[in-house]
């Protein structure tokens, strides 16, 4: 498993390097100016962007014969999928950490730009939830539909994640009275649902992958 | 004699392309090199896919080290080294990074041995694989396949991107590898001169069907090709004819027992036959 994780980390790092450069510059700019919208954008782009580049690893493996070669290695197909899901979580955490650093830097320079600190929680919850939903949709779609359509599937997964999250937010706003409990519960529902989808997607992806021929 | 690899009646159909691998059977004994010959699209890679479980066979049995290999049998895959034609590894890695990944996957990964292969094959460890030439990527794949001390090498067109000098060097590496009696190599190739140099057994495949599997010595010393005229061809015993190919002024007839044919057909020219010619006759020739 450690070899598979290293494989995914190297692959994602190759993708993420350029993105990291952009995010560092964007982060410095966002921390320097006083703009709540920019900060929300930064946090969401940071978390979702790193997750998306990690997800793209699965697609890139089939640009060479590596995807097929891996099946001849002493690993089970389930391990290959497990390593991809773990990789997704690792890069989601990396994106969240980067967003957290930027937010902390901005707070140090200008103080909080949000009405209530709890708003930060819901912002992170949205980013994390979108990333989990994206992974939950993308991986089974990729293995079922073929790696050659990876870009399209990644886009579909992102759009679906966006749609699902905003549907959940609308529902919780509709059902709950406005206030701090609504924000906290809304964030919990977002993260909980996406985690559940991510968890269910894992055995589904294994099932699809175990039937694939290369 | 025990076999390191054995295929029994392996069949696979691809409904979309209509390609069928039909009841392929052959066996590779321990200590041997099997040359697996066929033109492009003959079914070599599909057969290798069935062996390695990258393709699910419809029927038949594949035994590796005496038993069938399932997805859960990762311990069996520890003993197999694989090289595919083309880019086996992502181009954004260096050989050094590849070693780190493989070190985390194979229990018996030998960094020192891999380093020696990099030196022997003159491959820079820090350079990205995407900057390697085709020959270099093939040499790297061969180094990786050997660096975890496998018992069985499965090489799918592994020598195709190499120049003749490098190919010769690789063939020596393969011959070295089978010096140990519990080792074996399945080498698919359409470069028949390579197989003539190193293979102990040769299996011919065409259109998904196994045409012939025999030891190289048998092919070299027993098989023969009768060069005859049309009128002479008509006098041949059909039982002796494996395949024949009519050409402008003569008919070439492949026979399994050249010595017997020499005695039987004294007025005809009977030559020894190369692997290349056997392949051509089997693929382009007609059966009686």
């Amino acid at each position: 498993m450690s070899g598979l994780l290293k494989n995914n980390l190297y692959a994602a790092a190759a993708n993420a390097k350029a993105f990291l450069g952009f995010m560092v510059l964007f982060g410095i700019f966002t921390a320097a100016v006083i703009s709540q919208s920019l900060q929300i954008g930064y946090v969401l782009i940071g978390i979702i962007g790193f997750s998306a580049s990690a997800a793209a690893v699965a697609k890139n493996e089939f640009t060479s014969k590596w995807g097929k070669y891996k099946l001849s290695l002493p690993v089970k197909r389930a391990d290959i999928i497990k390593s991809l899901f773990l990789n997704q979580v690792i890069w989601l955490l990396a994106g969240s950490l980067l967003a957290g650093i930027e937010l902390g830097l901005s707070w140090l320079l200008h103080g909080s730009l949000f009405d209530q600190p709890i708003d930060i929680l819901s912002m992170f919850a949205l980013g994390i939830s979108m990333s989990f939903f994206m992974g939950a949709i993308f991986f089974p779609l990729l293995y079922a539909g073929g790696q050659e359509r990876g870009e399209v599937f990644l886009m579909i997964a992102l759009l679906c994640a966006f749609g699902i999250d905003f549907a959940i937010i609308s529902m919780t706003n509709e059902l709950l009275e406005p206030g701090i409990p609504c924000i906290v519960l809304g964030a919990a529902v977002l993260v909980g649902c996406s985690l559940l989808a991510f968890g269910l997607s894992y055995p589904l992806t294994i099932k699809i992958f175990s039937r694939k021929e290369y | 004699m025990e076999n390191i690899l054995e295929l029994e009646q392996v069949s696979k159909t691809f409904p979309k392309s209509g390609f069928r691998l039909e009841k392929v059977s052959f066996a590779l004994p321990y200590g041997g090199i099997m040359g697996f010959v066929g033109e492009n699209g003959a079914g070599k890679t599909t057969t290798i896919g069935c062996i390695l479980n990258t393709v699910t066979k419809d029927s038949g049995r594949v035994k590796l080290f005496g038993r069938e290999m399932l997805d859960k049998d990762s311990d069996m895959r520890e003993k197999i080294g694989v090289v595919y034609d083309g880019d086996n590894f992502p181009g954004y890695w260096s050989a050094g990074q590849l070693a780190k990944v493989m070190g985390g996957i194979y229990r018996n990964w030998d960094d020192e041995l891999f380093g020696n292969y990099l030196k022997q094959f003159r491959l820079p460890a820090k350079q990205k694989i995407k900057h390697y030439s085709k020959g270099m990527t093939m040499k790297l794949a061969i180094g990786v396949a050997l660096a975890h001390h496998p018992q069985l090498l499965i090489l799918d067109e592994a020598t195709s991107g190499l120049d003749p000098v490098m190919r010769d060097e690789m063939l020596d590496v393969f011959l070295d590898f089978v010096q140990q009696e519990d080792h074996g190599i399945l080498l698919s190739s359409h470069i028949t001169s390579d197989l003539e140099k190193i293979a102990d057994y040769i299996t011919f495949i065409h259109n998904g069907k196994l045409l012939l599997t025999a030891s190289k010595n048998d092919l070299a010393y027993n098989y023969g090709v009768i060069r005859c005229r049309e009128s002479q061809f008509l006098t041949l015993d059909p039982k002796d004819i494996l395949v024949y190919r009519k050409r402008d002024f003569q008919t070439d007839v492949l026979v399994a027992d050249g010595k017997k044919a020499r005695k039987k057909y004294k007025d005809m020219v009977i030559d020894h036959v190369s692997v290349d010619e056997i392949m051509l006759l089997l693929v382009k020739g007609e059966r009686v």
Side-chain angles (χ1 to χ4, degrees):
Chain A
M1 180 54 81
S2 72
L4 288 175
L5 279 175
K6 272 183 203 166
N7 156 56
N8 294 337
L9 284 174
Y10 285 141
N15 280 347
K17 259 183 203 167
F19 186 63
L20 181 66
F22 163 74
M23 285 307 286
V24 167
L25 292 175
F26 185 31
I28 293 167
F29 175 73
T30 311
V33 298
I34 303 170
S35 166
Q36 194 198 47
S37 335
L38 256 183
Q39 215 145 59
I40 293 170
Y42 186 84
V43 169
L44 292 180
I45 290 171
I47 298 172
I48 299 164
F50 276 104
S51 300
S53 70
V57 164
K59 170 190 79 71
N60 291 345
E61 296 211 320
F62 287 86
T63 52
S64 64
K65 290 220 170 93
W66 178 236
K68 179 178 170 178
Y69 191 97
K70 268 163 81 174
L71 300 176
S72 71
L73 298 174
V75 292
K76 293 177 199 137
R77 288 194 184 213
D79 292 336
I80 294 172
I81 299 299
K82 191 196 281 180
S83 74
L84 285 172
F85 274 71
L86 280 174
N87 186 56
Q88 175 84 6
V89 174
I90 290 167
W91 285 96
L92 191 155
L93 292 175
S96 303
L97 184 70
L98 190 74
I101 290 169
E102 188 281 332
L103 214 62
L105 198 63
S106 169
W107 202 323
L108 276 176
L109 292 173
H110 319 292
S112 175
L113 301 181
F114 295 88
D115 301 337
Q116 306 170 80
I118 200 82
D119 289 338
I120 297 169
L121 173 79
S122 53
M123 192 170 60
F124 271 85
L126 179 63
I128 290 167
S129 167
M130 273 187 73
S131 299
F132 276 136
F133 272 128
M134 179 202 63
I137 297 163
F138 175 68
F139 288 123
L141 207 55
L142 182 78
Y143 283 105
Q147 283 76 10
E148 63 280 3
R149 297 188 199 107
E151 284 89 359
V152 180
F153 290 148
L154 191 59
M155 223 172 329
I156 290 170
L158 267 169
L159 289 171
C160 288
F162 182 82
I164 294 167
D165 269 341
F166 278 86
I168 292 172
I169 290 168
S170 305
M171 273 199 290
T172 49
N173 285 349
E174 196 72 33
L175 295 170
L176 302 169
E177 289 292 314
I180 290 179
C182 169
I183 296 171
V184 174
L185 201 63
V189 171
L190 276 178
V191 175
C193 288
S194 62
L195 260 175
L196 182 69
F198 197 66
L200 290 173
S201 167
Y202 171 62
L204 176 67
T205 311
I206 291 175
K207 199 167 185 179
I208 295 168
F209 185 46
S210 64
R211 290 177 183 170
K212 288 295 278 189
E213 297 184 327
Y214 296 96
Chain B
M1 201 187 308
E2 271 195 75
N3 297 318
I4 193 166
L5 169 67
E6 208 173 320
L7 279 82
E8 287 172 29
Q9 306 277 305
V10 173
S11 296
K12 171 73 189 173
T13 304
F14 293 98
K16 280 185 189 168
S17 65
F19 178 79
R20 286 181 70 192
L21 191 70
E22 286 180 58
K23 296 182 177 176
V24 170
S25 302
F26 63 83
L28 169 64
Y30 279 96
I33 298 179
M34 167 75 77
F36 194 33
V37 194
E39 80 279 22
N40 293 330
K44 302 189 293 289
T45 302
T46 303
T47 307
I48 288 175
C50 289
I51 295 169
L52 293 171
N53 284 340
T54 58
V55 167
T56 313
K57 59 189 182 301
D58 297 334
S59 60
R61 287 210 307 178
V62 176
K63 280 192 196 168
L64 288 148
F65 314 105
R67 65 185 175 103
E68 284 210 73
M69 181 172 75
L70 303 171
D71 181 50
K72 65 181 170 62
D73 296 318
S74 37
D75 56 322
M76 287 175 81
R77 286 192 290 276
E78 286 276 355
K79 298 191 277 186
I80 303 172
V82 177
V83 178
Y84 290 115
D85 182 22
D87 300 328
N88 285 264
F89 311 111
Y92 44 76
W93 284 353
S94 64
Q97 286 176 318
L98 180 58
K100 281 181 190 155
V101 170
M102 292 303 186
I105 290 174
Y106 285 107
R107 279 200 303 266
N108 295 328
W109 179 259
D110 189 335
D111 259 329
E112 198 184 329
L113 181 61
F114 183 63
N116 290 341
Y117 280 125
L118 290 184
K119 273 184 207 153
Q120 186 186 340
F121 300 158
R122 296 174 292 282
L123 298 170
K126 289 181 181 168
Q127 194 180 350
K128 297 273 183 213
I129 296 170
K130 66 182 168 196
H131 299 304
Y132 279 14
S133 67
K134 190 180 179 197
M136 289 164 87
T137 59
M138 293 314 293
K139 286 190 282 181
L140 177 69
I142 291 166
V144 171
L146 290 164
H148 62 276
H149 302 286
Q151 274 181 258
L152 173 64
L153 281 183
I154 296 180
L155 311 169
D156 190 3
E157 304 284 0
T159 56
S160 62
L162 303 174
D163 60 65
V165 177
M166 204 60 233
R167 273 213 325 268
D168 201 57
E169 202 178 312
M170 288 303 128
L171 297 183
D172 285 341
V173 171
F174 298 153
L175 283 172
D176 243 15
F177 176 79
V178 287
Q179 289 309 303
Q180 281 181 261
E181 285 177 0
D182 61 344
H183 286 185
I185 299 178
L186 174 69
L187 171 62
S188 104
S189 179
H190 51 248
I191 305 173
T192 49
S193 59
D194 286 354
L195 303 179
E196 275 179 334
K197 270 183 204 163
I198 66 163
D200 301 301
Y201 308 91
I202 295 183
T203 295
F204 296 89
I205 188 169
H206 172 61
N207 271 345
K209 287 180 192 140
L210 192 128
L211 298 178
L212 180 71
T213 181
S215 76
K216 190 181 71 184
N217 285 345
D218 195 17
L219 293 175
Y221 301 118
N222 296 332
Y223 278 66
V225 62
I226 303 174
R227 321 274 185 201
C228 57
R229 293 188 302 275
E230 177 74 33
S231 56
Q232 290 175 311
F233 174 72
L234 295 171
T235 65
L236 294 178
D237 182 349
K239 282 181 203 157
D240 293 332
I241 303 170
L242 287 177
V243 284
Y244 66 93
R245 190 180 176 203
K246 288 189 176 173
R247 307 173 85 162
D248 290 344
F249 303 106
Q250 70 175 36
T251 302
D252 295 335
V253 182
L254 184 68
V255 292
D257 194 337
K259 281 178 198 159
K260 192 177 131 195
R262 267 180 211 103
K263 282 181 193 161
K264 200 168 171 183
Y265 309 110
K266 286 182 180 155
D267 56 334
M268 294 182 212
V269 177
I270 299 163
D271 289 334
H272 285 290
V273 62
S274 67
V275 174
D276 226 7
E277 195 173 8
I278 293 176
M279 186 167 118
L280 276 173
L281 281 166
L282 288 173
V283 170
K284 295 199 165 176
E286 294 170 57
R287 276 151 188 83
V288 179

